[in-house]
Amino acid sequence: RDNVNSCCATFSGQNIKLEKEKFTGADITAVFGGVKYDLRNAIIESDVVINASSTFGGIEIYVPANVKVKTKSTSIFGGVENKTNTQADENSHTIYVNGTTLFGGIEVKWQQLKK
């Protein structure tokens, strides 16, 4: 897949923040580590897919308030939680999060940026 951002945190942590960059999707992996992936200022021009996998780790994905989020997951002693704004416009673009967790967790949330 061209133009897909990938990141992996193994026994470590990663903080990824996209500022005014076009976002076309991502593959995120956390193994005994953590990833914070911030898309609140990213440019999302179409529906996108994020494949997230967490094994004994955690992933937090922050999304803009003007998108819809749909999650699908396979979880063993873990889970995927969608804490986003449910009031997005029906014509908004959708972020599809495919999550796989094994003793780990994935959270997708909307949080207003601090000024």
Side-chain angles (χ1 to χ4, degrees):
R1 297 178 356 175
D2 293 336
N3 298 323
V4 172
N5 298 311
S6 296
C7 74
C8 179
T10 304
F11 290 101
S12 65
Q14 291 233 13
N15 289 318
I16 309 293
K17 188 172 188 174
L18 276 68
E19 290 287 337
K20 306 295 182 201
E21 296 174 55
K22 186 175 178 183
F23 180 71
T24 58
D27 293 325
I28 306 169
T29 304
V31 180
F32 290 97
V35 175
K36 288 185 181 179
Y37 207 91
D38 190 342
L39 299 172
R40 292 175 288 183
N41 286 323
I43 299 167
I44 300 174
E45 298 176 334
S46 63
D47 293 352
V48 295
V49 175
I50 297 175
N51 295 308
S53 175
S54 174
T55 304
F56 290 97
I59 298 172
E60 293 179 355
I61 303 168
Y62 294 92
V63 299
N66 64 343
V67 299
K68 295 180 283 188
V69 174
K70 294 190 179 182
T71 59
K72 186 168 60 166
S73 69
T74 302
S75 300
I76 300 171
F77 294 107
V80 175
E81 192 169 0
N82 183 354
K83 297 180 175 180
T84 59
N85 182 2
T86 58
Q87 303 301 318
D89 183 345
E90 66 182 47
N91 296 320
S92 298
H93 297 300
T94 302
I95 297 176
Y96 295 94
V97 178
N98 299 319
T100 303
T101 61
L102 175 63
F103 292 98
I106 300 168
E107 283 186 324
V108 184
K109 45 188 157 181
W110 174 84
Q111 185 177 40
Q112 190 168 9
L113 291 170
K114 296 178 182 175
K115 293 183 181 182

